[in-house]
Amino acid sequence: MALAADADGRCEIFTWDARTGTTRRVTDSRDGTLHCAVDADARVWWFAEDRSGRGRWYFQDFGGGPAVPGLAGLRPGLPYGLAVSDTGTAAIGLGDGRRTTVHLGTTGGPGRPVLTVDGAALLTGISPTGRLLAVSGPAGSDRAVTLVGCSDGEAAEVARLSGRRGRLWALGFAPGAAVDGELLLVQEADERYLLASWTPGGGLRSHDWCRFDTEITARWYPAGRRVLVRQDRHGRSTLATADLDRCTLTTVRTPPGTLLDAAPHPGDDVHYLWTDTTTPRSCAPRPAPGCPRSAACPRPFPAGTATCGRPARTDRCTPC
C-alpha cells in the first residue's frame, strides 16, 4: 500500500509491503505531500504540490527509482483525480480555479487534453482498456456524471447522467470486466440510497433491491459483478457484499465502531481501517504500519480529491 504519514511535522508518502513488513519513505517535500495511489503495475503515484495546492503527479516503481512525471508536458494545477487503466493509459484531472481539464496519455508519455468543463469536477475512473472515462460534477446537477469515449486519439462525450431527480455519484469502473465500461454508481431516490450501474448500450440501471436509509459508498471486488458496500448509520459502520447478478446482499462481519475505509482484495479478503472510542490503539486487530516518526498527520486532506479524504486519527500512520 501507499500511505500518508507524519515526517518531521508534515505529511509525506510512504510505502508498506505487507509480505515483508517493511516501510519505505517515498517523498521529501518542504510543504509536505498529501495524495498518493498504487496502480495495477505496483507503481507508486504522488502529487507534488506547492503551498497553493497546485502541482503535478509523479510515479516510481514500488521498490524505488527515479521520479517520472505521470504525463509529460502538463502545467501545474489543482488535483482533481487520477486513474490508470490496465493497458497503461493514464488520465489526470487538473484545475486552475475556474475550469477542470482531464488529460490522457500513455503513462510517462506526453499528455493531451480530452475534456474541459467549467468549475470543479472530479475524474472518477477509467475503464480497464482505457477507452472510457467518467467525470463527476455536482451530484444534483445536469452533469452529475459525464462519460467520455477515447479512441484513435480523439475524445467525445458518450453519455451524460443527470442528478436532477436525485443525486448521483460515480464510484469507478468494474475491473477486468467482460463488458468494458460498466460503471458503478450510488443513486439517491425517495430519500433512500441505492446501487446503480451504467453500461455502454445498456444505459443506467437502478438496483432497487439494494437500497439503504443512509448514505453509502461502494467498491468493486477484483473479479465478478460483486460490490463491497459501506454504510454509516447512527455513528456505526457496516459492510456488506452485494452480488449484482444474484441480487443478494450478504453481511461482512466487522467489530462495532467506525470504518474509515474498506477495500476488497483477491481471495475474498476485505481490508478495512477500523476505530472506536473504547479500544486502545495497541489492542487493535492489526495496527497500521509504523514509520520513522509515527504521529497524526498535521494537515487534513482537502475534500473532493481522489484520496481517502480523511485526516489521520490515530497515533500511527493512516493508510489512504
Side-chain angles (χ1 to χ4, degrees):
M1 69 172 69
L3 54 105
D6 179 84
D8 300 320
R10 63 185 187 274
C11 284
E12 295 293 355
I13 306 306
F14 295 78
T15 63
W16 182 57
D17 189 328
R19 292 168 299 183
T20 63
T22 57
T23 302
R24 180 179 67 86
R25 182 169 172 173
V26 177
T27 62
D28 186 5
S29 170
R30 181 187 64 181
D31 298 320
T33 313
L34 299 175
H35 309 284
C36 61
V38 176
D39 65 21
D41 293 321
R43 289 175 295 210
V44 181
W45 292 70
W46 69 92
F47 190 76
E49 62 185 89
D50 59 20
R51 289 184 178 271
S52 71
R54 289 172 168 79
R56 298 181 177 90
W57 282 98
Y58 291 85
F59 69 88
Q60 68 176 201
D61 291 338
F62 190 85
V68 181
L71 291 175
L74 303 189
R75 299 181 62 182
L78 301 171
Y80 288 147
L82 166 73
V84 183
S85 75
D86 293 347
T87 59
T89 300
I92 291 175
L94 293 173
D96 62 6
R98 296 174 299 170
R99 296 176 297 273
T100 300
T101 299
V102 177
H103 306 265
L104 193 70
T106 301
T107 302
R112 69 180 191 280
V114 294
L115 177 71
T116 299
V117 298
D118 292 332
L122 181 65
L123 170 67
T124 48
I126 187 170
S127 66
T129 62
R131 297 178 180 176
L132 200 60
L133 303 174
V135 179
S136 296
S141 70
D142 286 334
R143 60 181 183 94
V145 182
T146 301
L147 285 304
V148 180
C150 306
S151 61
D152 301 325
E154 300 294 331
E157 184 175 311
V158 174
R160 182 173 293 186
L161 309 181
S162 174
R164 288 292 187 184
R165 295 184 180 180
R167 291 178 295 174
L168 197 63
W169 298 268
L171 300 179
F173 290 98
V179 178
D180 182 57
E182 182 172 14
L183 180 67
L184 180 67
L185 305 106
V186 168
Q187 184 178 23
E188 182 185 44
D190 300 324
E191 298 183 350
R192 295 291 188 271
Y193 301 88
L194 58 146
L195 290 182
S197 56
W198 178 92
T199 55
L204 182 65
R205 177 186 177 188
S206 301
H207 301 287
D208 295 303
W209 56 271
C210 191
R211 61 173 55 220
F212 300 81
D213 60 353
T214 59
E215 292 186 11
I216 61 172
T217 187
R219 284 183 175 180
W220 291 102
Y221 274 81
R225 297 185 69 248
R226 295 187 304 152
V227 174
L228 182 68
V229 181
R230 186 174 100 236
Q231 180 189 24
D232 291 312
R233 188 174 189 273
H234 298 324
R236 295 291 183 268
S237 303
T238 58
L239 293 180
T241 298
D243 191 315
L244 302 188
D245 289 327
R246 298 180 179 181
C247 299
T248 59
L249 193 65
T250 306
T251 299
V252 177
R253 292 184 179 274
T254 57
T258 299
L259 303 180
L260 305 180
D261 201 359
H265 286 256
D268 286 345
D269 284 348
V270 173
H271 295 183
Y272 56 86
L273 182 63
W274 167 85
T275 184
D276 71 2
T277 59
T278 60
T279 305
R281 184 66 202 141
S282 60
C283 297
R286 184 174 184 178
C291 294
R293 179 180 176 185
S294 297
C297 254
R299 296 170 59 191
F301 293 100
T305 69
T307 60
C308 62
R310 297 179 183 273
R313 297 187 180 184
T314 70
D315 61 349
R316 306 290 285 180
C317 308
T318 298
C320 288

